[in-house]
Amino acid sequence: MRAARLIKMVLLLQSRPSMTAAELAGALEVSERTITRDAQALSEAGVPVYADRGRTGGYRLVGGYRTRLTGLARGEAEALFLSGVPGALREMGLDDVSSAARLKVSAALLPSLRDASESAARRFHLDAPGWYQEPETPELLPAIAEAVWGDRLLSARYRRADGEVERELAPYGLVLKAGVWYLCACAGDSFRVYRLDRFTAVEPLTERFVRDESFDLPGFWEERAAQFARSLLRTEIEIRLSPEGVRALPYAVDRASAHEAIEAAPAPDDQGRVTLTLPVESEEVAHGQLLALGAEVEVLAPLTLRRRFAESAERVRALYG
């Protein structure tokens, strides 16, 4: 533990002109007294750490000293490619290796380029969860992530609508979608998608699986996500839209389905309104979605949904007099 901290301290000093004891203590999560002892240990080991006295003082490396401990370990290299999603790294338990990787890269750069990571971080940030959602980290995520990284088979219990099932999975990849974690895994001979918050227990096994090198995680996810979105749209409704309603429809319902329905619709009538058939999840869901369009949409069929809109309109009229 201390050896890793000493290496990290050298890399920190190599990447900057100097650092105060307080800055080093904050970066390494130790006390300033520990920093003093570590600096002395490094000096005794032949690392030229020099302490400047005074209010503006701090620690620095002298004589152009550069450590050769900048080679990336495999885990650090893998984590480096995920450094744009710090929240995801933290949730998977990879924060420490990612930090070490960034330090090594920074230490290996020319002095004029060492602020590149900070410069990028000031300008770009990825916030994965959607608005009005409180993201929750699945408790079992670190164990599942460990199995994914190690290509280790996973014994898991999974909660479904019809009860809990046990599966032995080959965990190929993790996906973070709008703040929700999913596992893409091979069960038997087929690939499937599992929500992590529905796992009730997991145990990485010692046995490893042979990864199918032709498996394309982004492509697989894109295909399954499209299939899932389509599978929800089990009902069709007929609606009549004003020009403003046509523009607003893709923002109220499934966007791809809205665009397809609009493209397939006949020409507008003499009032400029377009009649189209739209696939929706259910009448109840369509009612909630299309209410946002107000008078820009008229439901023509089915009659049960049309009556539901008429009742909603009457309740609003009664409320406002």
Side-chain angles (χ1 to χ4, degrees), residues 34-304:
T34 298
I35 293 298
T36 301
R37 290 197 296 265
D38 286 352
Q40 183 177 351
L42 287 170
S43 180
E44 292 172 355
V47 178
V49 177
Y50 182 79
D52 290 314
R53 306 290 181 182
R55 291 193 319 179
T56 59
Y59 291 94
R60 60 186 174 89
L61 296 174
V62 297
Y65 178 85
R66 293 184 64 79
T67 177
R68 295 183 180 180
L69 297 172
T70 52
L72 291 176
R74 180 176 181 84
E76 294 169 344
E78 290 171 336
L80 188 62
F81 286 100
L82 293 173
S83 59
V85 282
L89 281 168
R90 184 171 54 253
E91 292 174 4
M92 287 190 290
L94 298 174
D95 203 22
D96 287 343
V97 291
S98 174
S99 175
R102 289 194 300 270
L103 273 174
K104 288 183 177 182
V105 170
S106 179
L109 291 173
L110 294 172
S112 60
L113 299 177
R114 286 178 188 163
D115 67 341
S117 61
E118 293 182 7
S119 176
R122 292 191 191 103
R123 291 166 171 81
F124 301 100
H125 175 68
L126 175 63
D127 184 10
W131 289 105
Y132 314 117
Q133 295 180 6
E134 188 65 33
E136 295 184 5
T137 303
E139 183 180 348
L140 300 175
L141 174 58
I144 295 174
E146 181 182 352
V148 170
W149 285 115
D151 292 343
R152 294 171 61 185
L153 290 172
L154 196 66
S155 176
R157 291 206 305 270
Y158 189 76
R159 187 177 64 253
R160 301 193 314 191
D162 57 351
E164 197 169 272
V165 296
E166 292 188 13
R167 292 284 186 270
E168 184 174 287
L169 305 174
Y172 269 69
L174 288 164
V175 175
L176 179 60
K177 168 72 171 179
V180 179
W181 284 95
Y182 297 88
L183 174 68
C184 300
C186 185
D189 296 327
S190 61
F191 285 94
R192 301 181 181 179
V193 176
Y194 301 86
R195 274 185 64 135
L196 258 65
D197 56 10
R198 293 181 183 168
F199 283 104
T200 57
V202 297
E203 181 183 355
L205 305 178
T206 56
E207 183 182 356
R208 285 178 163 80
F209 65 93
V210 179
R211 181 175 286 268
D212 182 354
E213 296 301 328
S214 66
F215 177 76
D216 173 26
L217 179 60
F220 171 78
W221 174 260
E222 183 179 0
E223 179 184 347
R224 288 302 173 92
Q227 290 177 358
F228 176 73
R230 294 289 186 185
S231 70
L232 295 176
L233 308 177
R234 305 184 183 95
T235 302
E236 286 189 345
I237 63 173
E238 188 177 358
I239 57 177
R240 187 166 172 259
L241 295 161
S242 69
E244 180 57 35
V246 171
R247 287 190 290 270
L249 185 66
Y251 301 97
V253 300
D254 178 72
R255 184 165 298 188
S257 298
H259 284 303
E260 289 180 8
I262 292 169
E263 290 175 3
D269 59 22
D270 55 2
Q271 295 180 345
R273 289 183 170 257
V274 174
T275 299
L276 55 82
T277 300
L278 179 71
V280 295
E281 185 173 343
S282 65
E283 289 187 26
E284 183 178 3
V285 171
H287 177 256
Q289 292 174 330
L290 296 178
L291 272 178
L293 273 61
E296 307 306 325
V297 61
E298 177 189 1
V299 174
L300 303 178
L303 289 178
T304 50

Side-chain angles (χ1 to χ4, degrees), residues 5 9 19-40 51 54-55 57-59:
R5 188 177 70 243
M9 181 173 175
M19 294 183 70
T20 66
E23 289 172 336
L24 285 167
L28 299 174
E29 299 181 347
V30 294
S31 66
E32 292 186 32
R33 180 170 295 184
T34 298
I35 293 298
T36 301
R37 290 197 296 265
D38 286 352
Q40 183 177 351
R55 291 193 319 179
Y59 291 94

